[in-house]
Amino acid sequence: MGIVAIVFVGYFVLKRFYLKHLPSLLQIQEKISIPGPLPGPQRPTRAESLNPDEIIKWTNDFRKQNGLTALSANLKLSDAAQKKASDMFARQYFEHTSPQGDYSAAELVKAEGYNYKAVGENLALGDFKDEKELVDAWMQSPGHRANILNPSFKEIGVSAELGQFKGRTTWIAVQIFAVKAPQCTYPSLSLKKEIEQKQAIYEQINKLYQEASDLIEQGNAKIQQGNEIYKETGDTAQAEIYWTEGKKLQKQGKDKIDEAKSLEDSVANLPLLINQYNKQVQNYNQCIAK
């Protein structure tokens, strides 16, 4: 029985995970108002043009009727609205984000270099006869009306584009409302990207350790089967089949441990980076709340 004890004792089952608890990334406290898209009328005829300036005029008329200051047109917001309308036609969707999860108003506004405290978006699709009918349709929808009459918003950008959507010619209109943030330092996007890359490696390390644990457990079980067979029969050849398979599984587990260890240095500073980013988020949230 000494052969079994010296040669085929199973490895201790690994239950190690590299980092069980990472700090959570704090969220930037952004105010984003996005009511559901507004499907408009479908007709054989429609306006030949919808002027963004006229859409802004009618929007401001409703604000004035409700005792609110007029919104100022902002070129960056208009550029963001135009990109949104064009993208909906290009990828044939009518939502506040694309099917791929991008092209939200928040992303588009940031891409234009507009640092906002709050942002909102109204969408409409249909055969509108003129600018007033379009704005009237938004005003008849509670969520879109709330954006138009939101006293916090100070600026607006508008786009109206005629194109082919789902096999028919129609209008897509976009309003983007916003108010600029105070002079606040936005959390580092490059730092966040670095954290996300390291988080992926961290998850890979944990996965490798879990796989190693499973393989070593399986190897232990096979070796134990071989030990029992040898104990009962004294037949080394019969037990060797299980011992060999068990040792192979254990070797695979050890290889995964080595692979995991080789990655550990690359994420050693991950908690520090997360805490650094979270501090930036806290400072930003406190700043824009003023």
Side-chain angles (χ1 to χ4, degrees):
M1 304 303 293
I3 295 176
V4 179
I6 296 173
V7 179
F8 300 113
V9 172
Y11 291 113
F12 181 77
V13 177
L14 179 69
K15 288 296 184 182
R16 176 184 177 187
F17 292 87
Y18 179 60
L19 289 173
K20 293 185 178 179
H21 301 290
L22 282 174
S24 298
L25 281 177
L26 296 180
Q27 297 298 311
I28 297 170
Q29 300 301 311
E30 298 177 324
K31 296 180 180 179
I32 301 174
S33 177
I34 47 173
L38 179 72
Q42 293 189 9
R43 303 178 177 126
T45 59
R46 65 200 66 81
E48 293 184 1
S49 66
L50 291 176
N51 188 328
D53 291 337
E54 283 295 302
I55 295 171
I56 293 174
K57 180 185 81 69
W58 285 111
T59 298
N60 280 330
D61 278 353
F62 281 113
R63 286 179 66 90
K64 291 174 184 177
Q65 291 173 27
N66 287 271
L68 300 173
T69 58
L71 298 169
S72 300
N74 182 281
L75 182 59
K76 290 181 178 180
L77 298 182
S78 292
D79 287 345
Q82 188 276 320
K83 289 176 181 176
K84 176 67 177 182
S86 296
D87 190 65
M88 285 191 285
F89 274 124
R91 291 194 274 180
Q92 294 291 287
Y93 69 93
F94 183 51
E95 297 290 343
H96 287 287
T97 57
S98 77
Q100 288 70 41
D102 58 357
Y103 267 71
S104 69
E107 291 175 340
L108 290 168
V109 168
K110 287 176 187 175
E112 293 297 327
Y114 188 107
N115 189 18
Y116 63 83
K117 181 176 181 178
V119 66
E121 181 180 65
N122 283 350
L123 304 179
L125 180 149
D127 301 319
F128 299 99
K129 64 181 182 181
D130 55 30
E131 295 86 357
K132 185 176 187 302
E133 184 183 45
L134 167 60
V135 179
D136 282 344
W138 275 324
M139 285 295 293
Q140 291 165 16
S141 166
H144 300 87
R145 177 187 178 92
N147 271 346
I148 289 174
L149 300 183
N150 188 329
S152 298
F153 292 138
K154 303 301 180 186
E155 297 183 301
I156 187 173
V158 172
S159 175
E161 188 169 329
L162 186 65
Q164 289 290 314
F165 188 82
K166 306 296 185 184
R168 62 188 307 274
T169 301
T170 193
W171 285 99
I172 284 181
V174 181
Q175 286 180 315
I176 295 182
F177 310 86
V179 57
K180 289 178 180 176
Q183 293 299 314
C184 303
T185 302
Y186 200 81
S188 170
L189 296 178
S190 61
L191 176 59
K192 186 180 181 183
K193 184 177 180 180
E194 181 182 0
I195 288 169
E196 289 169 346
Q197 291 171 342
K198 287 180 180 289
Q199 283 177 323
I201 297 172
Y202 155 76
E203 293 298 335
Q204 183 183 356
I205 291 171
N206 273 342
K207 182 180 178 182
L208 286 167
Y209 275 126
Q210 181 62 67
E211 290 173 349
S213 179
D214 293 343
L215 286 166
I216 290 173
E217 285 191 27
Q218 294 167 25
N220 284 343
K222 289 292 183 182
I223 288 176
Q224 185 59 37
Q225 282 181 275
N227 287 348
E228 292 298 327
I229 290 172
Y230 182 76
K231 181 178 179 181
E232 293 172 5
T233 67
D235 186 346
T236 303
Q238 188 177 350
E240 184 69 41
I241 297 172
Y242 294 89
W243 292 335
T244 300
E245 187 174 354
K247 290 171 68 178
K248 180 180 178 181
L249 289 167
Q250 289 179 334
K251 174 63 167 56
Q252 291 173 355
K254 289 181 67 178
D255 288 344
K256 286 188 178 291
I257 293 171
D258 291 340
E259 184 180 354
K261 287 181 176 179
S262 72
L263 297 172
E264 288 182 3
D265 285 346
S266 66
V267 296
N269 65 339
L270 181 53
L272 180 64
L273 293 178
I274 292 175
N275 288 331
Q276 181 181 344
Y277 178 78
N278 284 347
K279 183 63 177 176
Q280 293 180 9
V281 172
Q282 287 176 332
N283 290 340
Y284 180 78
N285 287 342
Q286 290 171 2
C287 179
I288 64 171
K290 295 176 182 178

